[in-house]
Amino acid sequence: MQSISTIGLDIAKSVFQVHGVDAAGQVVLRRQLRRRHILAFFQKLPPCLVGIEACASSHHWSRELQALGHTVRLMPPAYVKPYVKRQKNDSTDAEAICEAVTRPNMRFVPTKTVEQQSCLMLHRARHLFIRQQTAVINSIRAYLAEFGIVAPVGRRGVEQLLEVVADTADHRLPEVARACLAALGIQLRALKAQILEFDRRINAWHRSNATSKRLDAIPGVGPALATALVASIADPTAFRSGRDFSAWVGLVPKQNSSGGKDKLGSISKRGDRYLRSLFTAGALAVIRYAKIQGTDHRPWLTRLLTRRPTKVAAIALANKLARMAWAMMARNERYNEPAALAA
């Protein structure tokens, strides 16, 4: 068999597809492999370039194959799709991956470490619990409203409703409904306790990471956003500039330009939705604090708020925070407070 120089590996849960070519681009290998045979197969091959789509379990396989001496490149699936000729299946996907990984202008995803993936799991699990908490609260409010029992919006309102559920002397609730709502109350308290535990774990991870502690100095960037940035960005230098990074997060205008005419719309909302929401929340917090304490010490933000609505200004500020965060990560710098703020 001719020497294999490049492999496109289409990963899955159980059955993997391998497509290999030689240095001239001629196909020399097409085969399916079960999950348990992957490492044994690549151990027998000389070091080569392996392309994988950046999807579920891709970072694990990238680390495993790199340990065997291969060069692994992860690619966003959206960038591989144009190379699929027709009739999508595992074989054509592997061929498309093999073709895409050799393109000189292809964009690659750096492989995350085990520690980065663990921190991201903290964030993802916490975010899931928060969504479940919101769903449980909405259910409690909706069910009690069916019996004419309502409470003010906010945390205190929910506690008032749970007090009604716990009061067996209140005959507005049938016993069956009370049992269901009591179970939801137990679930809500368990979720709140779990969220607090994850907050403590995120703060502990933040204190143990030097880059995360440096990012925490940026106004609007707290431990949650700082740790999410460190865990999500394996290699900040993969972005050419802070503007590229903010575009990856989705905080730049969406373009629909043609014929030399630039048409810019709302933000593109591409990239990482979780990071974008944290940046936006941080920017809104900075604006809210500035309105309370006065905006004289932030001239740029003051001028922006005079001509744009608050939420539009928040997106612009979030863009600025993202570029600042990238510069600090890529250049290993500390936050430099502007002269207007230091005065």
Side-chain angles (χ1 to χ4, degrees):
M1 185 173 67
Q2 295 172 272
S3 177
I4 299 175
S5 63
T6 307
I7 287 180
L9 178 62
D10 184 50
I11 61 177
K13 294 179 180 179
S14 301
V15 180
F16 293 49
Q17 183 72 35
V18 179
H19 183 95
V21 299
D22 60 14
Q26 298 297 318
V27 179
V28 296
L29 175 66
R30 282 196 186 100
R31 64 179 298 185
Q32 282 187 349
L33 291 173
R34 305 295 296 185
R35 181 186 184 90
R36 62 181 180 273
H37 298 147
I38 288 292
L39 293 180
F41 171 79
F42 279 95
Q43 280 178 343
K44 299 175 183 178
L45 293 179
C48 58
L49 174 63
V50 181
I52 305 175
E53 287 184 325
C55 55
S57 74
S58 60
H59 292 275
H60 163 73
W61 288 113
S62 176
R63 292 191 296 266
E64 292 291 330
L65 297 182
Q66 285 179 11
L68 297 177
H70 299 285
T71 302
V72 183
R73 296 286 182 266
L74 303 181
M75 299 167 288
Y79 295 165
V80 177
K81 186 176 180 180
Y83 296 93
V84 177
K85 294 183 174 64
R86 61 170 58 188
Q87 300 298 336
K88 181 188 183 314
N89 54 53
D90 291 347
S91 179
T92 55
D93 283 349
E95 182 180 358
I97 293 169
C98 188
E99 175 69 21
V101 75
T102 60
R103 297 300 90 196
N105 61 344
M106 179 55 62
R107 297 178 183 177
F108 300 108
V109 178
T111 302
K112 291 182 175 63
T113 64
V114 174
E115 290 74 18
Q116 286 177 313
Q117 285 195 294
S118 299
C119 184
L120 273 181
M121 191 175 296
L122 275 177
H123 282 273
R124 298 292 186 260
R126 177 182 177 275
H127 190 52
L128 173 62
F129 288 141
I130 289 175
R131 294 202 309 270
Q132 291 176 343
Q133 176 185 252
T134 303
V136 172
I137 290 173
N138 290 341
S139 296
I140 292 173
R141 287 185 174 276
Y143 294 153
L144 283 168
E146 292 295 329
F147 298 97
I149 304 172
V150 296
V153 176
R155 183 180 305 172
R156 182 55 190 157
V158 178
E159 293 299 328
Q160 291 177 8
L161 293 176
L162 292 178
E163 289 172 4
V164 172
V165 173
D167 185 6
T168 56
D170 193 327
H171 299 294
R172 291 177 294 176
L173 278 178
E175 287 306 313
V176 174
R178 191 185 303 277
C180 295
L181 289 164
L184 287 174
I186 294 172
Q187 182 71 19
L188 178 60
R189 293 188 180 93
L191 287 170
K192 287 183 176 180
Q194 194 66 67
I195 291 169
L196 289 175
E197 175 61 23
F198 274 69
D199 286 338
R200 285 192 288 268
R201 288 181 176 272
I202 289 174
N203 285 328
W205 201 93
H206 166 69
R207 290 190 296 270
S208 67
N209 188 276
T211 304
S212 182
K213 289 192 290 187
R214 284 192 292 106
L215 292 174
D216 191 22
I218 304 175
V221 176
L225 178 52
T227 53
L229 283 170
V230 174
S232 301
I233 313 303
D235 181 17
T237 58
F239 302 96
R240 293 177 298 179
S241 64
R243 203 272 180 193
D244 282 3
F245 173 65
S246 62
W248 176 77
V249 177
L251 290 169
V252 299
K254 182 167 52 179
Q255 293 194 39
N256 187 22
S257 305
S258 179
K261 295 182 179 180
D262 294 334
K263 296 181 182 179
L264 303 180
S266 57
I267 58 173
S268 65
K269 295 186 179 180
R270 298 178 183 272
D272 195 314
R273 179 184 297 179
Y274 183 67
L275 284 180
R276 186 169 60 252
S277 66
L278 291 178
F279 271 119
T280 305
L284 285 169
V286 171
I287 291 175
R288 184 166 57 252
Y289 181 82
K291 287 183 176 180
I292 295 173
Q293 301 295 326
T295 57
D296 294 338
H297 62 299
R298 296 184 183 276
W300 176 83
L301 184 58
T302 303
R303 292 192 298 270
L304 185 61
L305 287 170
T306 58
R307 65 179 190 273
R308 290 289 186 271
T310 299
K311 290 192 175 180
V312 175
I315 295 299
L317 180 57
N319 184 305
K320 190 171 186 177
L321 294 178
R323 287 184 277 124
M324 292 164 59
W326 174 85
M328 291 175 61
M329 289 190 294
R331 301 167 188 166
N332 198 24
E333 296 177 347
R334 293 189 174 275
Y335 174 70
N336 295 320
E337 192 173 83
L341 294 179

